[in-house]
Amino acid sequence: MGLDNVNPTVYSVSKDAYGQSARSKLWRMSQNSDFSDVEAEAQTESEAIDAGEVFDLIRNINDPEHPLTLEQLHVAQLRHVTVDHENSRISVVFTPTIPHCSMATLIGLCIRVQLLRCLPARFKVDINVEEGTHQSEKSVNKQLNDKERVAAAMENSHLVEVVNQCLATTIDKIAAY
């Protein structure tokens, strides 16, 4: 099977983009097995999480089709991340590179899994395709925001392996900073 987007547009990413928030306490705690879930939740309960921190968690997710990050492809952008502390909600809108991208659901699943693994449990995470950028936008959004569908997808060992491959590059890149 060929690639959906053989020649995607690649955007430059400034090294300065990996600022202090990429090495935030939130990220370090998600990677540190010395913290229990209760300790990590207590630590982050008092700290405000901003959109930049959330973006730092997803920017380096590798695209499933190309050896490029979601940020390099402008699939994930800081301007499409919102954090509502009052209601404990985080919203991420992503933009597929082409309107018929067959990887849109997988990309959204990678974003969801990364955030579920790293964010405090108090947050409800909404993942959506940017309006008007995908031919199956409503269907993809429904799948990505349905707990049972996400749980069922994560029971598929092959799919978990693909998601972990996309996320492995995220851990490696952020740990290097």
Side-chain angles (χ1 to χ4, degrees):
M1 186 168 123
L3 299 175
D4 278 351
N5 189 356
V6 180
N7 193 19
T9 302
V10 179
Y11 299 88
S12 63
V13 178
S14 166
K15 283 264 185 192
D16 298 332
Y18 303 97
Q20 183 60 37
S21 58
R23 295 179 299 264
S24 70
K25 184 180 275 189
L26 173 68
W27 175 259
R28 288 193 313 271
M29 285 189 318
S30 73
Q31 300 306 303
N32 188 346
S33 61
D34 293 340
F35 279 103
S36 71
D37 289 342
V38 173
E39 290 171 320
E41 184 71 26
Q43 285 277 345
T44 57
E45 193 70 40
S46 61
E47 287 187 29
I49 297 169
D50 64 17
E53 259 185 311
V54 174
F55 181 65
D56 282 338
L57 294 172
I58 64 170
R59 70 189 324 156
N60 289 311
I61 295 173
N62 220 32
D63 181 82
E65 280 191 321
H66 303 284
L68 299 165
T69 67
L70 298 185
E71 182 181 26
Q72 288 173 309
L73 294 171
H74 273 204
V75 171
Q77 298 178 59
L78 176 58
R79 66 187 176 98
H80 290 304
V81 177
T82 57
V83 178
D84 176 359
H85 283 282
E86 193 172 301
N87 296 308
S88 296
R89 291 185 84 95
I90 292 176
S91 173
V92 175
V93 176
F94 69 98
T95 309
T97 59
I98 53 175
H100 58 278
C101 177
S102 65
M103 298 291 157
T105 305
L106 178 59
I107 290 168
L109 184 62
C110 289
I111 293 169
R112 175 168 295 288
V113 168
Q114 176 71 351
L115 295 180
L116 288 175
R117 289 179 180 175
C118 297
L119 292 172
R122 74 178 185 271
F123 284 103
K124 163 107 172 65
V125 177
D126 296 312
I127 310 291
N128 290 290
V129 173
E130 184 177 9
E131 189 173 334
T133 62
H134 195 274
Q135 64 188 17
S136 302
E137 165 192 333
K138 289 180 182 172
S139 173
V140 171
N141 290 344
K142 185 175 182 177
Q143 289 177 343
L144 293 174
N145 292 298
D146 183 321
K147 278 185 173 183
E148 284 91 24
R149 290 182 190 205
V150 170
M154 296 311 292
E155 289 178 9
N156 178 321
S157 61
H158 175 69
L159 191 54
V160 169
E161 186 177 318
V162 172
V163 168
N164 286 336
Q165 287 173 356
C166 291
L167 298 183
T169 58
T170 304
I171 294 166
D172 296 342
K173 289 176 186 175
I174 292 180
Y177 288 96

